[in-house]
Amino acid sequence: MPISKAELKKMQSAADDACKLMKVLSNRDRMMLLCEIGQAEKCVGELEAALDLHQPTLSQQLTVLRKEKLVKTRREGKQIYYTLSSEVAVAVMSLLYKHYCKK
């Protein structure tokens, strides 16, 4: 039975969303940031120290992750803390960790 036009549009939209996520994850710095933030909530200073990423690279990559709604922020005084906010990103990161980091 052929796919209806409505189903096809829904599948295409889902594929677009998946491609967008994979494009964000295809950057090593962003991948490392998500791995680190996935361990626990982290402030910018902790991310900088743990990953040896410096301004402006760190700021640029965190901006991309925020814009794509993969992380959310919380301010405490002068510190900004980051946590993962996308269930899909958490699931993908978990799968990647299982296959690439647990060796």
Side-chain angles (χ1 to χ4, degrees):
M1 179 179 228
I3 297 173
S4 72
K5 287 197 184 276
E7 289 172 323
L8 180 59
K9 281 208 178 286
K10 193 174 181 180
M11 288 172 62
Q12 288 169 333
S13 178
D16 287 343
D17 291 344
C19 288
K20 194 173 176 184
L21 174 63
M22 298 312 289
K23 185 175 181 181
V24 172
L25 295 179
S26 71
N27 176 281
R28 183 181 69 189
D29 292 337
R30 289 191 295 261
M31 177 73 69
M32 296 295 294
L33 283 164
L34 289 172
C35 285
E36 195 63 27
I37 295 166
Q39 303 297 310
E41 180 182 66
K42 299 280 169 80
C43 70
V44 173
E46 292 170 319
L47 293 168
E48 188 172 18
L51 301 175
D52 197 31
L53 284 176
H54 306 286
Q55 300 291 344
T57 302
L58 178 61
S59 186
Q60 289 171 344
Q61 301 311 330
L62 287 170
T63 298
V64 171
L65 296 175
R66 275 193 320 271
K67 182 179 166 192
E68 297 300 326
K69 296 181 174 59
L70 299 183
V71 297
K72 61 183 174 186
T73 61
R74 162 181 87 76
R75 181 179 288 275
E76 190 174 295
K78 292 184 179 183
Q79 295 290 342
I80 298 177
Y81 290 87
Y82 288 83
T83 55
L84 294 182
S85 62
S86 164
E87 287 182 31
V88 174
V90 170
V92 170
M93 295 305 295
S94 176
L95 182 65
L96 291 171
Y97 180 82
K98 177 182 171 187
H99 288 282
Y100 292 98
C101 301
K102 255 189 140 176
K103 292 186 176 189

